[in-house]
Amino acid sequence: MKDWDEIAQGILKGQKRAIARGLTWIEQGRNDGKQLAQKLFAHAGHAQVIGITGSPGVGKSTLVNALTLTLRSQGFKVGILAVDPSSPFTGGAILGDRIRMQDSVMDAGVYMRSFASRGHLGGLSRATFGALTILDAAGFDKILIETVGAGQSEVEIMQLAHTTMVVLAPGMGDDIQAIKAGILEIGQVFVVNKADRDGADHTVRSIRSMLALAPEHPAWMPPILKTVAEDGRGMEELTEALEHHWQHLTDKGLLDRFRWNQTEHLIEQAVADVGEHLIRRARAGPEWSHWVTEVGEGSRDAEHVAEELWRQELQEE
Amino acid sequence: MIRVLVAKPGLDGHDRGAKVIARALRDAGMEVVYTGLHQTPEQVVDAALSEDVDVLALSILSGAHPTLVPRIMELVKEHHMDDVLVLLGGIIPEDDVDAMLHLGVAKVFGPGTDTNDIIAFIRDRVEVV
Ligand code: B12
Ligand SMILES: Nc1nc2c(ncn2[C@@H]2O[C@H](COP(=O)(O)OP(=O)(O)OP(=O)(O)O)[C@@H](O)[C@H]2O)c(=O)[nH]1
Ligand SMILES: [Mg+2]
């Protein structure tokens, strides 16, 4: 599969191999990957994107597996993106989230992909936005993104997910730290997983008292749910809460605003790409060193260079 | 960036070698998807397809390679994954190696293999974008 049009058609039909290859192109930052995401954007916009974040080991992947099984039984198609950290030293990564998702991913109505963060801060990978577009266009109703459980830097997920789920587990002091550090503001649904362990009620109470500190009457009061991801307990309630939030966004017209913001982001991205393209070409061109010299001496404005580059680009077209 | 799936097909519980390989490849700057033990050939190939890996690394020490590998290679061909480099390691008797290569496995690595040789082989065979 080489041709991007062929891949785009395959993605729209929901074919796993086309989706997989499209995601690779996006991840590699290739031009045809960007083109793909731009062309498919109009076909996207119907999926509920659900972010899943929380400290390492609280059971996010296990929860994704259990949640996927329940969503499937309700007739939804499910796309999953799981992000793990890249080594800052070698750039390599071991992506192990799939281990916990084996029960759910073989299904034809499920697609799961592991991503390495590739040095991108914010708990996500640079490719996430484009990847969401692809999965959405491929017809998945629910897209689950598991992020690196970094604790403090996941605010970015708010811009990408309609609903962010914060997962905690009993008896983890640092989770309460995480709540204090600002994870509280990003969660629309709180999950206390491993509720089969002692202390789950205590964790629920701590979250509740933290939420009570919220300044005013919020339009959405985040529910706090207990789950046992290992045997699927609490999944019906969890899917209900997620559906509730989706309904809330729809009723309040927030969904349209979300789509508007994403579209703006897409355009901003495209404009930034044009700038990048211009500067890359300019640097490789014969006039570059003269311009740098002249701008340095003050005989030419940097702005003139920009205008000149733009003029040349237009002339060529 | 080279992406590798390290898979343990069959009922084989020997996972030390697979983990050694996964870590070595990560340390060599590759992205390694590890799916854990007890994978069916269908699961292995579905994962390789979904993850769009460049390399499918199979670790088998149970002696079940004569049944597992033909099935896996059949599925690989069925899905037209001709661009995936398939490697096999573990306990593969000398007499079986040719049959494995004939099925489409690129190379077989036995006990005591230096992981640097594996890394070099992959780098040599996979075109990096
Ligand atoms: C340690 C060990 C165990 C441990 C496993 C612990 C674990 N979690 O891995 C335990 C004690 C649990 C165990 C149990 C059994 N074992 Co055992 N075990 C071994 C032993 C001694 C060493 C294996 C090992 O870990 N080596 C170290 C690692 C790093 O090396 P490696 O796996 O070979 O990997 C290297 C290369 O092969 C290669 N490689 C491996 N995979 C891959 C993949 C790719 C893609 C690449 C490129 C390279 C590559 O690179 C690695 C680095 O050099 C071997 C004998 C031997 N000398 O190999 C027997 C051996 C594998 N076991 C054997 C048997 C029979 C069993 C049992 C059935 C015994 C029993 N009757 O209960 C059980 C079955 C367990 C199960 N559920 O599958 C037999 C298998 C015989 C066969 N295939 O015909 C062996 C060969 C012993 C023998 N000579 O009879 N075993
Ligand atoms: N007791 C209990 N253990 C659980 C539950 N859910 C998950 N676990 C276990 O918790 C461990 C971590 O689970 P994962 O799903 O890998 O956790 P994670 O949050 O995805 O971890 P990272 O991706 O590494 O951040 C595993 O050993 C699971 O089996 C649960 O409900 N109860
Ligand atoms: Mg995980």
Side-chain angles (χ1 to χ4, degrees):
Chain A
M1 281 205 239
K2 297 256 151 55
D3 172 37
W4 74 262
D5 195 43
E6 185 190 339
I7 298 222
Q9 294 310 320
I11 289 169
L12 290 173
K13 287 187 197 126
Q15 291 166 357
K16 276 193 185 185
R17 185 161 157 74
I19 297 170
R21 188 51 54 91
L23 292 181
T24 300
W25 284 4
I26 298 243
E27 190 174 36
Q28 288 169 346
R30 287 169 51 150
N31 275 333
D32 28 16
K34 285 177 189 160
Q35 206 177 350
L36 197 61
Q38 280 166 14
K39 293 276 188 241
L40 290 175
F41 188 75
H43 296 271
H46 100 115
Q48 179 181 17
V49 179
I50 300 166
I52 293 134
T53 185
S55 302
V58 293
K60 297 180 293 297
S61 300
T62 316
L63 195 68
V64 166
N65 184 59
L67 185 58
T68 301
L69 291 172
T70 304
L71 288 168
R72 284 299 293 146
S73 74
Q74 296 170 351
F76 295 112
K77 295 214 283 172
V78 184
I80 305 167
L81 302 176
V83 188
D84 273 324
S86 300
S87 155
F89 305 107
T90 67
I94 291 186
L95 311 173
D97 293 317
R98 195 173 258 273
I99 298 174
R100 310 263 168 227
M101 302 182 190
Q102 290 297 341
D103 301 340
S104 57
V105 293
M106 269 295 280
D107 190 335
V110 178
Y111 175 86
M112 187 270 170
R113 175 69 166 250
S114 315
F115 278 104
S117 62
R118 297 195 178 176
H120 192 62
L121 296 172
L124 293 169
S125 129
R126 240 169 72 100
T128 315
F129 182 73
L132 287 172
T133 304
I134 299 256
L135 292 183
D136 197 335
F140 293 102
D141 305 298
K142 307 285 171 186
I143 303 175
L144 312 178
I145 323 178
E146 176 182 341
T147 72
V148 180
Q152 305 199 10
S153 53
E154 278 111 319
V155 182
E156 198 179 354
I157 193 152
M158 282 177 74
Q159 285 147 20
L160 291 168
H162 297 105
T163 307
T164 301
M165 221 165 93
V166 175
V167 187
L168 302 98
M172 294 180 77
D174 50 307
D175 271 345
I176 302 303
Q177 261 334 98
I179 297 178
K180 285 183 185 155
I183 255 198
L184 191 73
E185 285 82 14
I186 75 165
Q188 284 95 37
V189 175
F190 286 83
V191 173
V192 177
N193 187 42
K194 306 196 188 184
D196 52 324
R197 295 210 179 148
D198 290 343
D201 290 320
H202 177 77
T203 309
V204 170
R205 277 195 300 276
S206 343
I207 301 168
R208 189 169 296 139
S209 59
M210 299 279 187
L211 284 177
L213 296 177
E216 52 212 85
H217 283 292
W220 170 259
M221 191 60 200
I224 308 165
L225 301 158
K226 286 193 287 185
T227 62
V228 182
E230 284 212 306
D231 62 14
R233 263 183 283 168
M235 288 311 125
E236 293 289 338
E237 293 81 351
L238 180 54
T239 52
E240 232 168 77
L242 294 170
E243 205 56 40
H244 244 120
H245 189 248
W246 187 232
Q247 200 56 51
H248 164 80
L249 292 176
T250 313
D251 293 347
K252 292 270 159 25
L254 295 169
L255 223 47
D256 294 336
R257 198 205 292 172
F258 198 91
R259 174 77 182 168
W260 184 270
N261 288 342
Q262 300 238 303
T263 312
E264 285 188 339
H265 179 79
L266 186 82
I267 298 171
E268 279 163 25
Q269 204 62 47
V271 173
D273 286 347
V274 172
E276 242 172 64
H277 162 77
L278 287 182
I279 198 78
R280 214 178 316 118
R281 251 196 28 181
R283 277 175 177 280
E287 293 151 315
W288 183 249
S289 60
H290 299 293
W291 287 341
V292 175
T293 311
E294 286 168 21
V295 172
E297 287 167 348
S299 58
R300 187 191 278 271
D301 287 345
E303 219 170 272
H304 283 152
V305 176
E307 280 163 10
E308 178 60 22
L309 287 174
W310 185 231
R311 208 180 49 75
Q312 287 182 4
E313 177 76 16
L314 288 179
Q315 252 169 18
E316 241 166 71
E317 278 178 10
Chain B
M1 191 64 74
I2 298 176
R3 284 172 65 89
V4 185
L5 175 70
V6 173
K8 288 272 336 158
L11 297 174
D12 182 10
H14 298 90
D15 61 358
R16 279 192 204 163
K19 286 179 171 165
V20 166
I21 302 297
R23 276 192 291 269
L25 298 184
R26 181 216 32 213
D27 293 343
M30 300 179 197
E31 290 179 353
V32 183
V33 180
Y34 182 56
T35 50
L37 293 169
H38 308 318
Q39 304 294 297
T40 62
E42 286 75 12
Q43 283 178 311
V44 169
V45 176
D46 183 67
L49 181 84
S50 297
E51 298 286 357
D52 198 19
V53 291
D54 305 295
V55 183
L56 172 54
L58 305 167
S59 179
I60 306 177
L61 283 80
S62 63
H65 55 279
T67 51
L68 291 169
V69 176
R71 178 68 187 138
I72 289 172
M73 294 314 295
E74 188 183 18
L75 289 164
V76 162
K77 296 208 170 77
E78 205 172 283
H79 289 98
H80 308 292
M81 295 160 64
D82 353 87
D83 45 0
V84 177
L85 180 74
V86 182
L87 305 181
L88 174 63
I91 306 289
I92 312 296
E94 198 56 50
D95 289 350
D96 294 348
V97 171
D98 276 348
M100 296 293 121
L101 298 179
H102 194 70
L103 287 166
V105 169
K107 195 168 169 149
V108 177
F109 297 87
T113 302
D114 183 343
T115 52
N116 288 313
D117 294 342
I118 303 172
I119 293 162
F121 186 79
I122 293 176
R123 286 199 176 132
D124 183 48
R125 289 297 195 88
V126 178
E127 176 195 351
V128 187
V129 200

